[in-house]
Amino acid sequence: MADWKQNLQQTRYVMDALFLLSFIVVSAPKATGVVLHEWLSVLFIVPFFIHILLHWNWIKSSLTRLIESRSFKERFSIVSCYLLYVWMLLVFVSGVLVSVSLLPALNIDLAIQDFWLKIHIQSGKLMMPMIGIHLALYWNWIKRFSKSMLMQGRGV
Amino acid sequence: MKYLQRNWRSRLLMTLLISSLLSILLVALDQSEWAAQVNAQGMESGNGGEHHKGNKSAVLMMILPILKVMILTGVPMFLTILLMKILITFKRFTYRRTQKIVSD
């Protein structure tokens, strides 16, 4: 298990698992409380960017593949990834604009608009099924690496 | 983390730049007529559920929202997997049928 850092796919697997776990935690503000939710969301930017950096080559080639690919699944998957990225940014931006702890801590006094509150709540809720669909599109990869990581963990 | 460290500065800079640009565009949404309309209406049903926590234990209040996230993520995930499996089966079935018709 310890040498997962030496393999790109395994590094992605471990980091994506942490990303998913942190997503579950930050998506439940009623469990953590709003203040902790806001600060954890700031930390959530780290696995978000790690996810992007670890899939850099995929991102680089995605536009070409979107144009050239004949597979509906691949094109759908690429478009859904782009959408998910913009959606994640929308949740971040609206979250910052309605923050009750983050901006005051930075001495920024901003009146909370109902528009951003509504956007943050609704886009955050929609984020969950979007992540679900994203996971489903890579289900075979997840299954394969879960098995291989498990076997590696048992020393098989 | 050798894979993360590969060209990380330029990659991160580019990601930050694109993310910042998109974020600025998203912030501009509050200048739209839609935003003005929502602000004028106010939050009608915003945090309705917040007031019903009275009787729940602290553990339940921690677990239930996390369970909700897992269900709202997991159910669409399994439905999509099911849909993909049905589509693949249907595709295989029609392919075999076409092959059979051609060979006949």
Side-chain angles (χ1 to χ4, degrees):
Chain A
M1 260 316 239
D3 59 351
W4 57 267
K5 290 177 198 166
Q6 303 306 316
N7 180 303
L8 175 62
Q9 297 292 338
Q10 289 184 356
T11 307
R12 279 177 176 166
Y13 182 86
V14 173
M15 286 297 141
D16 289 354
L18 288 174
F19 186 31
L20 180 63
L21 211 68
S22 51
F23 169 77
I24 292 170
V25 175
V26 295
S27 298
K30 283 181 189 169
T32 56
V34 175
V35 175
L36 196 60
H37 163 74
E38 288 180 10
W39 288 101
L40 287 175
S41 299
V42 174
L43 290 178
F44 182 69
I45 293 173
V46 176
F48 176 57
F49 280 136
I50 287 177
H51 184 75
I52 291 173
L53 292 181
L54 285 176
H55 293 80
W56 193 259
N57 291 334
W58 184 93
I59 296 166
K60 246 171 51 177
S61 63
S62 64
L63 199 63
T64 323
R65 279 186 291 119
L66 180 67
I67 298 161
E68 289 173 357
S69 176
R70 282 184 179 181
S71 155
F72 172 75
K73 190 191 165 192
E74 189 175 16
R75 276 186 290 163
F76 179 77
S77 152
I78 293 168
V79 172
S80 75
C81 287
Y82 289 165
L83 194 68
L84 202 56
Y85 167 66
V86 177
W87 207 260
M88 193 74 96
L89 287 180
L90 182 67
V91 180
F92 274 139
V93 167
S94 58
V96 169
L97 292 172
V98 298
S99 74
V100 289
S101 151
L102 198 69
L103 289 183
L106 299 168
N107 278 330
I108 300 171
D109 191 28
L110 204 71
I112 295 172
Q113 289 186 33
D114 285 338
F115 170 71
W116 285 119
L117 198 58
K118 202 170 183 176
I119 288 276
H120 186 63
I121 293 169
Q122 302 301 340
S123 58
K125 276 183 188 164
L126 202 62
M127 191 77 198
M128 297 169 210
M130 281 171 86
I131 293 281
I133 293 168
H134 184 68
L135 288 171
L137 289 169
Y138 295 95
W139 187 245
N140 288 336
W141 183 86
I142 294 169
K143 238 170 47 178
R144 191 153 38 96
F145 275 91
S146 297
K147 270 183 200 163
S148 97
M149 296 290 277
L150 208 70
M151 279 164 74
Q152 209 175 320
R154 285 178 186 159
V156 179
Chain B
M1 288 289 192
K2 61 176 180 176
Y3 295 104
L4 202 57
Q5 286 165 346
R6 189 177 293 164
N7 299 328
W8 74 275
R9 274 171 213 231
S10 58
R11 289 175 179 185
L12 189 65
L13 193 74
M14 194 180 270
T15 311
L16 281 171
L17 201 74
I18 294 169
S19 301
S20 306
L21 280 173
L22 282 171
S23 298
I24 290 166
L25 284 175
L26 289 171
V27 169
L29 268 177
D30 69 6
Q31 302 299 317
S32 66
E33 223 171 277
W34 173 40
Q37 207 177 345
V38 173
N39 282 329
Q41 282 172 353
M43 287 289 286
E44 290 145 6
S45 55
N47 296 327
E50 291 277 339
H51 306 291
H52 302 293
K53 0 176 139 169
N55 300 329
K56 289 179 198 161
S57 72
V59 179
L60 268 181
M61 270 165 58
M62 282 280 285
I63 293 171
L64 285 179
I66 288 178
L67 203 68
K68 186 183 156 190
V69 176
M70 287 166 83
I71 290 169
L72 284 174
T73 309
V75 171
M77 182 181 90
F78 285 114
L79 285 177
T80 312
I81 292 169
L82 192 73
L83 183 72
M84 285 195 309
K85 282 197 172 153
I86 291 169
L87 285 175
I88 289 168
T89 314
F90 180 72
K91 216 171 161 181
R92 274 188 197 146
F93 174 74
T94 46
Y95 177 75
R96 278 187 199 145
R97 223 174 120 185
T98 322
Q99 290 290 87
K100 204 180 168 191
I101 290 167
V102 169
S103 64
D104 285 348

